[in-house]
Amino acid sequence: MDSEEDMLDAHDMYSGEEDDFYSDDYKDSDDDDDDDGEPDYGFVEEDADDSAMTASHRSQKNFCVLKEEDILKHQMDAIERVSVVLSITEVEASILLRSFHWSVGKVHDEWFADEERVRNTVGILERPVVPPSDDTEFTCGICFDPFPPEKIASVSCGHPFCTTCWTGYISTTINDGPGCLMLRCPDPSCLAAVGHDMVDKLASEEDKEKYNRYFLRSYIEDNRKMKWCPAPGCEYAVDFVAGSGNYDVSCLCSFSFCWNCTEEAHRPVDCSTVSKWILKNSAESENMNWILANSKPCPRCKRPIEKNQGCMHMTCTPPCKYEFCWLCLGAWMDHGERTGGFYACNRYEVAKQEGQYDETERRREMAKNSLERYTHYYERWASNQTSRQKAMTDLQQLQTHNLEKLSDKQCTPESQLKFILEAWLQIIECRRVLKWTYAYGYYLPDHEHAKRQFFEYLQGEAESGLERLHQCVEKDLLQFLNADGPSKDFNDFRTKLAGLTSVTKNYFENLVKALENGLADVDSHAACSSKSTSSKSTGCSSKTRGKGKGSSRTGGS
């Protein structure tokens, strides 16, 4: 996705002509004279070649995707730097870096501030606890059996243990998890660290592989500037540079996610709203709303009952088996001629007029309205997600099969058909943005009528324009794929599709910025309009809107 800097650049580019791609009837008669410089949320024509994909490549990224070999290189570079500067072995340097979360600067600061304290803390002992001996036999501190010197191993502390016990100790710790990276001497009173040299020397091949995997992953998981891509099965990591304000990153596996919360990329919605929306989609709250809206409690046992047949005679499930009237919740045996007959119960209306059921019905009506509102936004959120996934499948189909087929039929090199790939990439991105606008709309306060009206207009225009682009690349392309030979209309199709891609890209960029700014233009327009009506001497004129369609009549209401 484009960085914020490029979005701002795109936002500042406005053509003098009005664009008719999305809305032909939403123009202002005085737009031509309006040069106030207000933000414009309308469409902007760009050069057809200035596509979404090429713009994305030109944009300044605030992140870098790391492969496994990149991570290993970073690790080795850090170890070598610390080893050279502090004049210690690479094994000791790796122990230091793991203890200080792979921060070279932190290692240097702490080491030069108090070397002895750091050594004791991380377990890099300068002198052995057990002095070297010329004995021809040593007793293992674990199994207490005697061994010759070649069968004995120790770390910086000098505590002797046989290689068999070392192997068992190391294997057990590695199989317990990543804690093996902070392995210490088996002697309970000793804090000497065990480095990867001991693992390489004594562990099995399987254990070495696990240890090296933990070692590699620690570089990412202990580093606050790096995270693993959350996509299932992806082994890439992302190195993020903070400060740009844009947290959306795209991995090489094609998955885009938010650096801040690691959910899928969700601009223009903030992380807090996404968290609430995801929780709402998975929580039991909506189930309860459905129960309140579509069921009534049994008058005797209070269990909720759904009416699944037409008559009003209800019978609760065993062991209750209470028979009652659905309308008035009274006992069914009380229903007879005096109540209007078994199938013409009028108690409900009488009781309601007397106020007996007002609160219950009010709660049920509120639950029903809440459920209907949530369903409205959720269905559209889910539909755009489905459309996005379908677009990703169609793009893959195009790349693997249809592009070559189209190239042959239209006698056009594949390099000149990139405008179709760019259109699909733009559709995928726009479907993602449009999807999250429904979560934005759900949490937009109802009492802010002007903002909601403006938002719904912008959203409607975005949806309409995206449908045009989607239909063009999905259906209009078929006639050229199914053609018997080159078509004279193919160049017109190229121009139309490239133009729609460019226009849609610009509209959605401006839509994202408008929503991230909290639709602030609505407030500024309203304030300016209020000043102009209250005082003629004010600097605000009644014509405060920009000339784009997004700065519409709705925005000033």
Side-chain angles (χ1 to χ4, degrees):
M1 189 175 182
D2 292 352
S3 67
E4 275 197 356
E5 290 82 5
D6 281 342
M7 285 187 172
L8 290 172
D9 292 339
H11 182 54
D12 293 335
M13 296 170 58
Y14 299 103
S15 64
E17 297 180 359
E18 196 63 27
D19 225 313
D20 292 332
F21 276 97
Y22 280 17
S23 177
D24 296 328
D25 56 353
Y26 212 97
K27 296 182 180 180
D28 232 340
S29 60
D30 53 3
D31 275 351
D32 296 335
D33 301 322
D34 193 354
D35 294 318
D36 296 338
E38 290 283 340
D40 184 358
Y41 297 107
F43 291 123
V44 185
E45 273 289 4
E46 281 187 347
D47 188 345
D49 292 331
D50 189 15
S51 63
M53 189 166 66
T54 53
S56 176
H57 288 310
R58 289 197 313 269
S59 65
Q60 174 121 22
K61 290 183 179 179
N62 57 343
F63 63 92
C64 176
V65 180
L66 303 175
K67 300 179 182 178
E68 183 173 323
E69 53 267 31
D70 300 322
I71 300 171
L72 285 171
K73 186 177 183 304
H74 283 304
Q75 278 186 311
M76 294 304 105
D77 288 346
I79 291 172
E80 185 177 354
R81 287 167 58 195
V82 170
S83 174
V84 170
V85 172
L86 304 187
S87 298
I88 57 178
T89 66
E90 290 191 351
V91 172
E92 292 173 327
S94 67
I95 294 172
L96 269 175
L97 284 164
R98 289 200 310 269
S99 300
F100 289 98
H101 306 296
W102 292 96
S103 172
V104 175
K106 184 71 171 175
V107 168
H108 290 165
D109 292 343
E110 295 293 330
W111 183 271
F112 291 120
D114 192 340
E115 178 183 338
E116 185 178 356
R117 179 183 61 81
V118 172
R119 280 183 175 275
N120 292 332
T121 301
V122 303
I124 302 176
L125 305 185
E126 199 167 12
R127 290 175 296 277
V129 176
V130 178
S133 172
D134 295 331
D135 294 345
T136 57
E137 196 172 74
F138 293 88
T139 301
C140 173
I142 295 177
C143 65
F144 300 106
D145 289 336
F147 290 93
E150 60 269 18
K151 294 291 185 178
I152 292 291
S154 62
V155 287
S156 60
C157 58
H159 287 116
F161 300 97
C162 71
T163 54
T164 303
C165 289
W166 264 114
T167 300
Y169 175 65
I170 291 173
S171 178
T172 300
T173 313
I174 289 175
N175 286 301
D176 282 345
C180 63
L181 297 178
M182 305 303 291
L183 193 60
R184 299 298 176 108
C185 172
D187 189 296
S189 63
C190 183
L191 296 177
V194 178
H196 61 74
D197 56 334
M198 289 291 284
V199 176
D200 292 340
K201 178 181 177 183
L202 300 172
S204 65
E205 291 300 320
E206 182 181 354
D207 288 340
K208 285 181 193 177
E209 186 177 345
K210 287 182 182 178
Y211 183 88
N212 290 333
R213 176 58 53 182
Y214 292 141
F215 186 79
L216 176 78
R217 294 188 67 87
S218 71
Y219 185 77
I220 303 300
E221 291 162 6
D222 292 345
N223 195 324
R224 290 182 298 176
K225 297 196 305 175
M226 298 180 183
K227 288 181 182 177
W228 293 107
C229 172
C234 180
E235 295 187 354
Y236 296 135
V238 178
D239 185 1
F240 186 78
V241 179
S244 70
N246 177 14
Y247 292 105
D248 284 0
V249 298
S250 298
C251 183
L252 294 178
C253 69
S254 300
F255 183 73
S256 297
F257 66 98
C258 171
W259 171 266
N260 193 41
C261 65
T262 67
E263 295 290 349
E264 69 168 24
H266 51 71
R267 292 185 71 198
V269 181
D270 59 49
C271 297
S272 174
T273 301
V274 170
S275 177
K276 288 190 295 183
W277 178 253
I278 291 175
L279 181 62
K280 189 169 189 65
N281 292 344
S282 61
E284 292 296 320
S285 61
E286 294 312 315
N287 293 339
M288 184 55 64
N289 273 341
W290 190 94
I291 291 172
L292 286 172
N294 297 279
S295 68
K296 292 184 180 181
C298 169
R300 176 180 289 175
C301 68
K302 306 303 180 184
R303 285 185 296 176
I305 295 178
E306 179 188 4
K307 189 175 184 296
N308 59 358
Q309 293 183 352
C311 72
M312 304 301 170
H313 182 185
M314 309 299 295
T315 303
C316 189
T317 55
C320 179
K321 295 186 178 180
Y322 182 69
E323 297 183 41
F324 63 95
C325 172
W326 175 260
L327 293 178
C328 68
L329 300 181
W332 188 252
M333 66 176 61
D334 293 340
H335 284 59
E337 303 249 339
R338 60 190 179 83
T339 62
F342 283 102
Y343 300 97
C345 175
N346 65 351
R347 277 193 181 184
Y348 178 79
E349 288 300 329
V350 172
K352 187 175 181 180
Q353 290 171 8
E354 293 174 353
Q356 295 179 22
Y357 296 99
D358 285 353
E359 180 61 23
T360 302
E361 288 306 312
R362 186 187 66 81
R363 289 180 59 225
R364 184 175 288 112
E365 190 65 26
M366 287 178 62
K368 184 176 181 180
N369 291 339
S370 174
L371 184 62
E372 287 177 351
R373 182 174 181 272
Y374 168 72
T375 302
H376 169 87
Y377 286 98
Y378 178 79
E379 284 180 346
R380 285 152 181 79
W381 181 86
S383 294
N384 276 287
Q385 173 64 6
T386 302
S387 294
R388 183 172 184 266
Q389 292 173 338
K390 177 64 167 59
M392 293 171 72
T393 303
D394 290 341
L395 174 60
Q396 186 176 11
Q397 175 71 15
L398 176 71
Q399 291 174 316
T400 54
H401 299 98
N402 292 342
L403 203 63
E404 183 179 356
K405 178 181 175 182
L406 183 66
S407 175
D408 293 340
K409 290 201 172 186
Q410 299 301 323
C411 300
T412 304
E414 288 189 27
S415 60
Q416 295 183 21
L417 298 177
K418 287 184 178 179
F419 69 97
I420 304 175
L421 299 176
E422 293 162 4
W424 275 118
L425 289 171
Q426 192 60 53
I427 288 169
I428 292 169
E429 173 62 13
C430 290
R431 285 291 176 195
R432 183 195 65 77
V433 171
L434 191 58
K435 177 183 79 168
W436 285 110
T437 63
Y438 282 101
Y440 185 99
Y442 180 80
Y443 290 105
L444 193 62
D446 287 332
H447 65 271
E448 297 185 4
H449 302 295
K451 281 190 176 182
R452 175 165 291 281
Q453 198 174 7
F454 188 36
F455 162 74
E456 289 175 351
Y457 168 71
L458 293 177
Q459 187 187 52
E461 286 290 281
E463 191 144 15
S464 173
L466 179 55
E467 287 300 323
R468 293 192 187 194
L469 174 61
H470 206 151
Q471 182 172 349
C472 180
V473 74
E474 191 173 51
K475 297 182 178 179
D476 294 0
L477 182 62
L478 290 178
Q479 61 177 308
F480 303 107
L481 277 171
N482 298 329
D484 296 329
S487 172
K488 61 180 181 180
D489 296 329
F490 189 70
N491 283 334
D492 292 337
F493 168 75
R494 180 202 303 272
T495 303
K496 177 183 177 182
L497 184 58
L500 280 174
T501 302
S502 176
V503 163
T504 306
K505 170 182 177 289
N506 284 306
Y507 190 93
F508 271 82
E509 284 180 351
N510 292 329
L511 173 65
V512 166
K513 284 182 290 190
L515 299 187
E516 287 182 332
N517 289 335
L519 299 171
D521 281 347
V522 177
D523 296 331
S524 63
H525 295 336
C528 200
S529 176
S530 175
K531 289 180 182 179
S532 64
T533 55
S534 63
S535 174
K536 293 183 180 179
S537 61
T538 183
C540 289
S541 67
S542 60
K543 188 168 65 176
T544 58
R545 286 174 288 108
K547 57 190 175 185
K549 300 181 189 68
S551 301
S552 62
R553 298 183 183 90
T554 313
S557 61

